[in-house]
Amino acid sequence: RTNPLPGLFVAVGVAVTVDLARRLSGSLILGIVAGLAVALTPIVWAIGTHADPHSLHFAFVALILWLLVRWEHRRRGDPLEPAVRPAPGRADRLLLAAAAIVGLSVGNHSLTLLLGPPILAFVLAVEPGVLRRPRFVAACIAAFAIPTILVRFEMILRAGWFRAPFVYANPSTWDGFWYVTLGTQFHDWVSDPFGDIPGRIAATVAMAASQLGPLAPLVVVALAVTIVRRPRYALLSGLAMAITLFFNSVYPDGAIDRYYLGPVVIAWTWLVILAATAVDVLA
């Protein structure tokens, strides 16, 4: 049961990526290409064919990006589909759903916290007046907080009354709960954030080459095109990419490649936007 589950999570993430890429590029064919490309990227294929819990994080990241892009299109309209008119009421529900998925994702993996600043910047860019809607902001905070708390409460129950076969650090106790929740065991792993910058850049470039092959150099060009074609998505995905890459460079985990799942999805969405732009120019 443990082995097939990551494959299911990866399948969900890939399917969502197909529609995310379709909405960003305006082409179903390019969306399918992006989905297949993400699935066949070495690290995604690896977590989908092994019992790896990071596969759920991959599915959540894809869902978060998809919901936020759908929210933007509902809020402001989609330039690639002018017939679809903005619907603020339905847009609110999409943002609430995104907040809930972020809450679940934080409960699953603390790496999701790195998406916080990019999401806030994106929301303010799409709807600058959202802070003048305190009830809606409070609803979004609740939608985020409740799943996060429930996941942590489930962890307490499974370490206590409904004990799981394997329990780590005994989170049913006060000290054990905060030890796991705050990731205390990993705090000493973070290295000097401003040390060996050339070496860290080289490692990031090597990782990009290992995952994207000859397309890796095009990612920078694709980001520039995305900034022009999809500026608000570029703000969201660009900040998420930069923050995640910086964190990965100062966190020497032995299996750090699993922390590049989000950047892989983002890179392929940029590449399909570049491909759609090339098709438009040729046409």
Side-chain angles (χ1 to χ4, degrees):
R1 289 197 301 270
T2 306
N3 285 322
L5 194 58
L8 176 62
F9 290 147
V10 168
V12 170
V14 167
V16 171
T17 301
V18 169
D19 195 59
L20 171 65
R22 179 190 69 83
R23 292 174 183 275
L24 292 170
S25 66
S27 168
L28 177 59
I29 293 176
L30 288 177
I32 294 172
V33 169
L36 290 173
V38 168
L40 296 174
T41 300
I43 182 53
V44 179
W45 184 266
I47 67 164
T49 53
H50 297 80
D52 192 319
H54 290 77
S55 57
L56 180 57
H57 176 68
F58 166 77
F60 279 146
V61 169
L63 279 168
I64 291 166
L65 294 175
W66 177 69
L67 285 167
L68 289 173
V69 167
R70 287 192 61 199
W71 171 69
E72 178 195 7
H73 291 173
R74 281 293 180 183
R75 191 76 203 176
R76 304 181 66 99
D78 185 356
L80 297 179
E81 297 184 19
V84 179
R85 296 181 179 180
R90 298 181 65 181
D92 288 349
R93 292 195 289 270
L94 288 169
L95 190 57
L96 285 169
I101 296 298
V102 171
L104 282 173
S105 187
V106 169
N108 172 63
H109 202 304
S110 298
L111 191 64
T112 310
L113 293 172
L114 300 180
L115 297 177
I119 290 173
L120 290 175
F122 177 76
V123 169
L124 291 174
V126 173
E127 187 182 351
V130 68
L131 296 179
R132 295 193 294 270
R133 303 171 61 197
R135 292 180 61 183
F136 178 63
V137 171
C140 288
I141 294 173
F144 162 76
I146 291 173
T148 304
I149 294 170
L150 288 177
V151 169
R152 294 302 177 184
F153 185 64
E154 183 268 349
M155 181 177 68
I156 295 172
L157 292 178
R158 294 293 281 162
W161 295 330
F162 303 98
R163 194 169 185 84
F166 174 77
V167 176
Y168 175 71
N170 197 14
S172 61
T173 65
W174 179 260
D175 291 338
F177 173 80
W178 289 111
Y179 181 82
V180 175
T181 298
L182 299 178
T184 305
Q185 67 272 40
F186 303 119
H187 288 181
D188 294 336
W189 289 21
V190 178
S191 60
D192 179 9
F194 303 106
D196 191 22
I197 293 178
R200 285 156 49 196
I201 293 175
T204 301
V205 171
M207 175 60 70
S210 70
Q211 299 301 314
L212 302 175
L215 294 178
L218 290 178
V219 172
V220 177
V221 179
L223 171 58
V225 172
T226 302
I227 291 173
V228 175
R229 296 291 296 269
R230 296 286 192 179
R232 286 175 290 275
Y233 178 72
L235 176 65
L236 168 66
S237 56
L239 281 177
M241 176 77 83
I243 293 173
T244 304
L245 293 183
F246 176 79
F247 176 80
N248 292 350
S249 71
V250 300
Y251 185 73
D253 190 326
I256 193 64
D257 52 349
R258 299 175 299 178
Y259 283 40
Y260 287 92
L261 292 168
V264 163
V265 175
I266 291 171
W268 280 111
T269 60
W270 290 350
L271 288 170
V272 297
I273 292 172
L274 174 63
T277 304
V279 170
D280 289 345
V281 170
L282 290 174

